[in-house]
């Protein structure tokens, strides 16, 4: 389909509407944000002498929503400046402007009559061919446009974003009965590639996929809890990470979502299904209705299933006792099953361990899980024809590590079905037919390809992925590993391009990864066009191996530490001077040494959600893998013309590194200087390796030359004094400690280029030597060792 979306309009400027507009702005799509015209003036407007006819008043709702974006946490925008891409307006004065956009998204109150009336208004100004969609969490798509024309219906669908739109990967697209299938295909591809979403196609049924299964699971959990006497904290202990679910588990999730919102979603199913058993399940418990009536809605009201109570000694989080409706001190649950799950690695093993130990918590997990699995199977064909889309909806929308059918495979399909039937449950016929045909799982991996059940058949069908998705695990299963060790592997991506994948614990950089980088460069030099540095772990890289450094420092093995840092520096230098292109593709947390592994690359293709930072000062150190040197070099390059003052650039670097600033997005990493103007940011993390591979091929197919070495102009001793004076002022103001000041002085010495005259030209090796000397001296400081130990044991920085 020859179609594009260059401009959009969002109608409704509430939390979801403004969030969707913000995310459209994030990816470069200008957006018109419309809302109703206010009926009354505010006191501030009255004081200014404004009237209800003033444009600032008439656009107030949308304008205020845009203004709030910069203050909202978590941040809806990749960069606050992107708010300029959103234009406020109102439905009376600016409705006709909808004819100028390519996509109109309705995001008003969840009321069928209101939505129908608005869509009729939209149709009155609608330009044929414009896509129109509703962001509804469960109202019928067909019912909304029942009175609209056929051409309008062809261009209408549901687009259910999950909140918050920037961060939640799931987007459910719900075609209507007359929606053009080619338009659905176009929107799926557009939303995946440009908006970075994981798109599932849902049928027009109450609450679609994610909320249908998710709400059912929460209500089943509440039922088991009340019938068998479990507490709030016991349920959350079982239904969180122990089952491969988020830490928010059941009741913290409900508090985050809002109990009123949850009740509305549950009621939507109750009023729109005819099965009496299903209606009983979707009947909201009286205790929850009572909480809503009291205004105990969760975090937005200050209390829900949990209440944070402040006291002179700090604060305590109390849990609600549903039998007395009073808040009580939490009791941490302990049992063999919970301990077994904690010790197990990965969601599959955790779930099996939890179910395998026979105690009351294991029973709770099983009694919840069996009902959710059967219900998910019952809904195949009704809410979606694909078990994969049901699984992905739960993973992307509810942060489950395994979807229902993946979970069923993990615990043993045949064995668990036998147990369900022995306990009197009715398993859907198609599941039993699948097992009877000799199948032992819903999914099957063969030679790196994924197959899933073809419902209605006894055979598997191959799961198709977008061509832009490169799965490293799949490539490894196809024996595409060229070489590897415990820390990293070199994988053949095809077309003469390789991928260096980190896979050490937390992808922390140690000698094994550094060794594999050198070996990989040798291999690529002989046989390949270039290399991508990427992985598909939870985070790209959390930095260097602090444990190793701490052990060596405590043993006063200074030569060992010097050798480790020297190896790191030399390895990164080899990457930078390599005669074939190297492209890095970081994602999510990319800290310390992870940043230094990307900086020497010819090009960086970062995911939009990349949190990038040189954070070494948090453990009492400074960057010493080339990070300081690279920043100094970039600053020098920006002032290559005579007469441009270098000091402001170095001041910015000093502040960024000295405060361990981490970018809030890939775009913010550009603003901070971690990424270069030529580096790219891609919306969909799943596409990043593909895009990096294309970048390698693009460079390789030109007359590629390695980055030449150049001298670095430094601010010298005069500039160092400026940096150190700023740090001393911070100390005098009580903002930093004595040890912070020591670190800052070391950092200033390195970034300034040491005690040379201002404007001196120095070599990269000279700067690396300064880095290494400062790093070694700080390793010997007891307070630095305390910081490293605290980070390893507590997972957060120590201010000492």
């Amino acid at each position: 389909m020859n179609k594009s979306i260059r401009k959009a309009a969002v109608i409704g400027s509430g939390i979801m509407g403004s969030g969707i507009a913000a995310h459209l702005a994030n990816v470069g799509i200008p957006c018109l944000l419309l809302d109703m015209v206010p009926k009354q003036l505010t006191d501030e407007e009255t004081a200014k002498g404004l009237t209800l006819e003033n444009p600032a008043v008439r656009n107030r709702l949308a304008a205020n929503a845009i203004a709030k974006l910069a203050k909202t946490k978590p941040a809806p925008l990749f960069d606050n400046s992107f708010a300029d891409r959103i234009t406020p307006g109102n439905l009376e004065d600016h409705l006709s402007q909808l004819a100028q956009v390519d996509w109109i998204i309705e995001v008003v109150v969840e009321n069928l009559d209101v939505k129908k009336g608005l869509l009729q208004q939209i149709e009155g100004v609608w330009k044929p061919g414009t896509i129109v969609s509703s962001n509804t969490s469960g109202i019928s798509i067909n019912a909304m446009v029942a009175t609209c024309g056929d051409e309008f219906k062809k261009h209408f669908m549901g687009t259910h974003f999950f909140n918050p739109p920037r961060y939640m990967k799931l987007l459910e697209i719900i075609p209507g009965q007359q929606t053009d299938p080619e338009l659905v295909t176009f929107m799926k591809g557009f939303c995946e590639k440009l908006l970075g979403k994981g798109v599932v196609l849902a049928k027009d049924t109450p609450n679609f996929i994610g909320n249908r299964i998710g709400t059912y699971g929460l209500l089943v959990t509440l039922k088991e809890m009340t019938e068998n006497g479990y507490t709030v904290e016991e349920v959350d202990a079982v239904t969180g990470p122990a089952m491969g679910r988020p830490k928010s588990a059941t009741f913290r999730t409900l508090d985050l979502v809002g109990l009123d919102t949850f009740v509305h979603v549950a009621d939507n199913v109750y009023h729109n299904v005819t099965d009496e058993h299903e209606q009983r399940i979707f009947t909201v418990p009286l205790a929850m209705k009572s909480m809503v009536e009291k205004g105990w809605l969760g975090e937005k009201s200050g209390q829900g299933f949990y209440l944070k109570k402040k006291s002179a000694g700090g604060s305590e989080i109390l849990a609600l006792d549903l039998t007395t409706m009073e808040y009580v001190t939490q009791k941490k649950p302990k049992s063999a099953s919970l301990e077994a799950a904690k010790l197990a690695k990965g969601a599959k093993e955790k779930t099996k361990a939890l179910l395998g130990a026979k105690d009351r918590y294991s029973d709770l997990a099983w009694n919840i899980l069996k009902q959710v699995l059967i219900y998910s199977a019952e809904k195949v064909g009704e809410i979606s024809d694909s078990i994969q889309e049901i699984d992905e909806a739960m993973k992307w929308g509810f942060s489950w590590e395994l979807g229902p059918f993946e979970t069923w495979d993990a615990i043993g399909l045949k064995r668990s079905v036998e147990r369900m039937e022995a306990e009197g449950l009715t398993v859907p016929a198609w599941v039993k037919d699948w097992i009877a045909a000799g199948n032992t799982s819903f999914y099957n991996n063969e030679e790196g390809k994924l197959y899933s059940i073809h419902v209605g058949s006894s055979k598997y069908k191959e799961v198709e992925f977008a061509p832009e998705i490169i799965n490293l695990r799949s490539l490894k299963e196809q024996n595409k590993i060229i070489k590897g060790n415990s820390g990293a592997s070199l994988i053949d991506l095809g077309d003469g391009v390789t991928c260096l994948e980190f896979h050490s614990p937390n992808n922390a950089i140690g000698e094994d990864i550094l060794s594999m980088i050198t070996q990989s460069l040798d291999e690529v030099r002989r046989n390949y066009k270039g290399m991508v540095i990427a992985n598909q772990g939870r985070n790209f890289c959390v930095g260097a191996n602090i444990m190793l450094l701490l052990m060596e420092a405590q043993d006063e093995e200074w030569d060992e530490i010097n050798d480790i840092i020297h190896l790191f520096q030399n390895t990164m230098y080899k990457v930078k001077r390599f005669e074939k292109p190297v492209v890095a593709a970081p994602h999510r947390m990319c800290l310390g040494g992870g940043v230094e592994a990307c900086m020497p690359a010819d090009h960086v293709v970062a995911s939009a959600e990349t949190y990038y930072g040189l954070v070494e000062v948090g453990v009492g150190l400074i960057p010493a893998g080339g990070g300081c040197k690279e920043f100094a070099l970039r600053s020098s390059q920006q002032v290559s013309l005579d007469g441009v003052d270098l000091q402001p650039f170095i001041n910015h670097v000093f502040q960024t590194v000295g405060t361990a600033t981490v970018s809030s997005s890939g775009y913010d990493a550009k603003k901070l200087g971690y990424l270069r103007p030529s580096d790219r940011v891609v919306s969909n993390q799943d596409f990043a390796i593909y895009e990096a591979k294309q970048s390698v091929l693009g460079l390789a197919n030109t007359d590629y030359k390695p980055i030449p070495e150049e001298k670095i102009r430094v601010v010298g001793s005069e500039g160092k004094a400026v940096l150190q004076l700023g740090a001393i002022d911070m100390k005098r103001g009580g903002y930093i400690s004595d040890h912070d000041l020591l670190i800052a002085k070391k950092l200033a010495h390195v970034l300034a280029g040491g005690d040379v005259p201002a404007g001196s030209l120095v070599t990269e090796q000279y700067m690396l030597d300064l880095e290494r000397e400062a790093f070694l001296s700080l390793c010997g400081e007891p307070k630095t060792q305390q910081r490293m130990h605290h980070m390893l044991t507590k997972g957060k920085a120590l201010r000492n």
Side-chain angles (χ1 to χ4, degrees):
M1 175 173 278
N2 184 21
K3 201 162 188 69
S4 62
I5 295 176
R6 295 163 300 225
K7 188 175 181 180
V10 175
I11 303 177
S13 64
I15 292 174
M16 280 303 296
S18 61
I20 292 170
H23 196 54
L24 291 168
N26 280 337
V27 299
I29 298 177
C31 186
L32 181 65
L33 182 62
L34 304 183
D35 211 315
M36 295 184 296
V37 175
K39 303 298 183 186
Q40 291 182 317
L41 294 170
T42 65
D43 291 342
E44 185 180 357
E45 289 167 341
T46 301
K48 289 180 179 179
L50 301 179
T51 70
L52 288 173
E53 298 306 311
N54 190 281
V57 175
R58 296 176 70 79
N59 298 339
R60 182 215 306 154
L61 295 179
N64 285 354
I66 296 168
K68 287 179 182 177
L69 293 174
K71 303 173 185 176
T72 302
K73 300 296 181 184
L77 293 163
F78 290 149
D79 186 290
N80 285 339
S81 67
F82 292 176
D84 294 341
R85 298 170 180 170
I86 309 173
T87 303
N90 68 76
L91 284 167
E92 292 181 16
D93 301 330
H94 306 108
L95 192 68
S96 62
Q97 292 186 19
L98 298 183
Q100 302 169 18
V101 306
D102 305 299
W103 182 15
I104 302 167
I105 311 171
E106 169 272 305
V107 199
V108 299
V109 64
E110 285 286 270
N111 179 287
L112 178 58
D113 291 336
V114 173
K115 289 180 182 289
K116 285 178 69 174
L118 177 59
L119 289 168
Q120 287 174 343
Q121 280 186 277
I122 292 171
E123 187 177 20
V125 299
W126 176 70
K127 179 183 67 178
T130 301
I131 301 162
V132 184
S133 69
S134 172
N135 180 73
T136 174
S137 59
I139 295 177
S140 171
I141 300 303
N142 291 302
M144 285 186 210
V145 289
T147 57
C148 294
D150 288 347
E151 191 63 24
F152 189 83
K153 290 177 181 176
K154 287 181 182 178
H155 292 81
F156 181 72
M157 67 187 74
T159 49
H160 180 208
F161 289 81
F162 274 57
N163 191 33
R166 168 184 165 181
Y167 299 94
M168 294 302 293
K169 185 171 181 176
L170 179 62
L171 172 62
E172 294 176 320
I173 289 183
I174 311 98
Q177 291 173 349
Q178 292 178 241
T179 307
D180 184 347
E182 287 190 14
L183 201 62
V184 174
T185 300
F186 164 77
M187 285 298 289
K188 184 176 187 295
F190 170 84
C191 292
E192 286 174 340
K193 186 167 186 178
L194 201 63
L195 297 186
K197 294 301 173 187
V199 177
V200 299
L201 299 181
K203 296 193 175 185
D204 188 17
T205 56
N207 289 9
F208 314 129
I209 299 175
N211 280 342
R212 185 72 170 270
I213 302 295
T215 305
Y216 178 89
L218 287 166
L219 288 167
V220 162
T221 302
L222 282 165
K223 178 174 175 289
E224 288 297 321
M225 171 189 180
T226 53
E227 288 182 357
N228 295 293
Y230 293 97
T231 66
V232 165
E233 57 267 42
E234 284 178 323
V235 171
D236 275 359
V238 171
T239 59
M243 286 180 69
R245 308 281 174 83
K247 290 181 179 179
S248 56
T250 297
F251 293 111
R252 292 189 192 280
T253 296
L254 283 168
D255 278 356
L256 287 167
V257 169
L259 272 67
D260 53 340
T261 301
F262 176 80
V263 168
H264 173 79
V265 172
D267 283 346
N268 188 55
V269 178
Y270 177 84
H271 292 297
N272 288 284
V273 296
T274 56
D275 181 79
E276 292 184 2
H277 173 71
E278 194 167 7
Q279 280 188 327
R280 283 196 298 273
I281 290 293
F282 280 91
T283 301
V284 177
L286 292 175
M288 186 177 285
K289 288 184 176 180
S290 173
M291 292 172 69
V292 173
E293 290 170 2
K294 291 174 183 285
W296 298 358
L297 307 179
E299 285 207 353
K300 59 186 172 184
S301 67
Q303 65 186 105
F305 286 101
Y306 291 97
L307 170 66
K308 189 173 185 178
K309 184 178 180 181
K310 295 182 179 179
S311 62
S315 61
E316 179 185 11
I317 298 177
L318 305 178
L320 183 64
D321 183 335
L322 290 179
T323 59
T324 64
M325 296 302 286
E326 294 180 353
Y327 291 96
V328 298
T329 300
Q330 293 187 62
K331 296 179 181 177
K332 187 174 182 179
K334 294 182 179 180
S335 77
S337 61
L338 292 175
E339 187 62 27
K342 184 178 180 180
L343 294 174
K345 300 294 184 183
K348 290 182 180 180
E349 296 305 317
K350 284 181 179 295
T351 305
K352 287 163 65 176
L354 179 64
L355 297 177
K358 301 300 180 183
D359 57 33
R360 65 190 303 266
Y361 297 132
S362 179
D363 290 343
L364 174 61
W366 170 248
N367 289 335
I368 293 169
L369 194 57
K370 67 183 181 183
Q371 295 181 75
V372 172
L373 298 184
I374 288 176
Y375 185 75
S376 300
E378 289 173 346
K379 296 301 142 189
V380 172
E382 179 182 338
I383 62 176
S384 173
D385 291 327
S386 163
I387 67 163
Q388 183 194 3
E389 291 197 302
I390 293 175
D391 278 347
E392 288 175 338
M394 300 316 299
K395 290 188 291 183
W396 294 339
F398 286 79
S399 299
W400 292 10
E401 290 188 49
L402 299 172
F405 298 97
E406 291 172 324
T407 301
W408 219 332
D409 281 356
I411 65 174
L413 175 58
K414 185 176 180 182
R415 183 173 62 254
S416 60
V417 165
E418 289 172 351
R419 182 177 175 184
M420 291 171 184
E421 292 189 314
E423 294 174 4
L425 277 72
T426 302
V427 177
W430 71 264
V431 175
K432 293 197 289 183
D433 290 344
W434 179 251
I435 295 171
N439 299 298
T440 58
S441 64
F442 291 116
Y443 292 96
N444 187 30
N445 275 292
E446 288 184 12
E447 298 179 352
K449 292 184 178 180
L450 179 65
Y451 297 84
S452 71
I453 178 176
H454 183 64
V455 178
S457 167
S458 61
K459 297 181 180 179
Y460 287 104
K461 66 173 181 179
E462 185 178 348
V463 176
E464 296 183 0
F465 296 97
E468 295 91 349
I469 295 177
I470 293 176
N471 188 303
L472 297 181
R473 178 185 297 179
S474 175
L475 290 175
K476 288 189 284 188
E477 289 171 352
Q478 297 173 53
N479 297 317
K480 298 293 186 179
I481 296 177
I482 301 166
K483 57 177 53 189
N485 61 22
S486 59
S489 295
L490 186 67
I491 302 167
D492 187 351
L493 297 181
D495 301 316
V497 181
T498 65
C499 177
L500 178 68
E501 177 202 32
F502 300 169
H503 48 65
S504 62
N506 295 316
N507 290 340
I509 296 176
E511 292 184 65
D512 48 3
I513 287 180
L514 297 175
S515 171
M516 187 49 57
I517 292 175
T518 297
Q519 293 180 52
S520 297
L521 294 177
D522 290 340
E523 180 69 30
V524 172
R525 180 180 293 111
R526 291 191 299 268
N527 299 311
Y528 295 91
K529 296 179 180 178
M531 182 172 75
V532 171
I533 300 176
N535 63 73
Q536 292 173 327
R538 179 176 177 80
N539 296 303
F540 176 79
C541 178
V542 298
N545 188 332
I546 300 175
M547 174 67 80
L548 176 61
L549 287 171
L550 178 59
M551 290 172 60
E552 299 289 7
Q554 289 175 335
D555 292 340
E556 299 185 357
E557 295 286 354
W558 310 122
D559 287 343
E560 289 292 331
I561 296 177
N562 183 70
D563 290 345
I564 292 169
I565 303 306
H566 208 281
L567 175 62
F568 197 165
Q569 292 179 340
N570 286 348
T571 304
M572 295 305 106
Y573 188 84
K574 289 177 184 177
V575 172
K576 185 165 187 178
R577 301 286 171 250
F578 190 53
E579 59 267 32
K580 294 187 178 182
V582 176
V583 176
H587 66 276
R588 293 189 63 81
M589 300 302 292
C590 179
L591 305 175
V595 173
E596 291 175 310
C598 295
M599 286 181 121
D602 296 284
H603 190 58
V604 175
V605 178
S607 298
E609 298 299 345
T610 299
Y611 315 122
Y612 216 66
L614 292 170
V615 296
E616 285 83 353
V617 296
V619 289
L621 299 167
I622 69 161
C628 293
K629 179 263 293 183
E630 284 296 316
F631 252 142
L633 175 59
R634 292 179 186 185
S635 298
S636 175
Q637 290 169 336
Q638 292 185 73
V639 296
S640 56
L641 297 176
D642 290 338
V644 180
D645 188 4
L646 176 59
Q647 190 70 48
F649 294 94
I650 293 298
N651 291 349
H652 170 74
V653 173
F654 180 66
Q655 182 178 8
T656 300
V657 179
T659 56
T661 301
V662 177
S663 73
S664 60
S665 68
Y667 294 95
D668 190 40
K670 277 197 170 189
K671 179 181 284 189
L672 291 169
Y674 287 123
L675 296 180
R676 298 156 295 198
S678 60
D679 293 329
R680 285 185 57 207
V681 179
V682 294
S683 298
N684 195 325
Q685 181 179 313
D686 294 339
F687 293 2
I689 295 178
Y690 171 86
E691 295 294 343
K693 175 184 173 182
Q694 298 311 305
S695 181
V696 168
L697 290 171
L699 290 168
N701 291 334
T702 62
D703 186 20
Y704 176 79
K705 296 288 190 299
I707 299 172
E709 182 166 351
E710 60 181 292
K711 294 288 185 70
I712 302 171
R713 188 178 301 279
V714 295
V715 294
S717 55
E718 294 177 19
K720 180 173 76 169
V722 172
L723 299 179
Q724 291 186 343
L725 182 59
I728 291 168
D729 286 342
M730 292 284 286
K731 173 64 178 64
R732 287 172 178 165
Y735 297 106
I736 63 175
S737 68
D738 287 335
H739 193 52
D740 290 326
L741 180 59
L742 173 65
I743 299 165
K745 287 182 175 179
K746 296 282 187 182
L747 179 63
H749 180 74
V750 174
L751 291 175
D755 295 319
V756 297
S760 295
L761 292 172
V762 301
T763 65
E764 291 188 41
Q765 187 58 56
Y766 170 84
M767 293 294 291
L768 290 173
D769 291 342
L770 290 181
E771 280 186 0
R772 194 169 65 258
E773 290 164 7
F775 188 94
L776 276 167
S777 67
L778 286 169
C779 280
E781 293 288 336
K783 287 188 176 181
T784 285
Q785 294 177 23
Q786 290 170 13
R787 289 191 179 192
M788 287 194 279
H789 183 266
H790 193 269
M791 179 62 72
L792 289 167
T793 56
K794 304 294 185 181
K796 56 185 178 181
L798 171 68
R799 295 299 303 275
N800 59 353

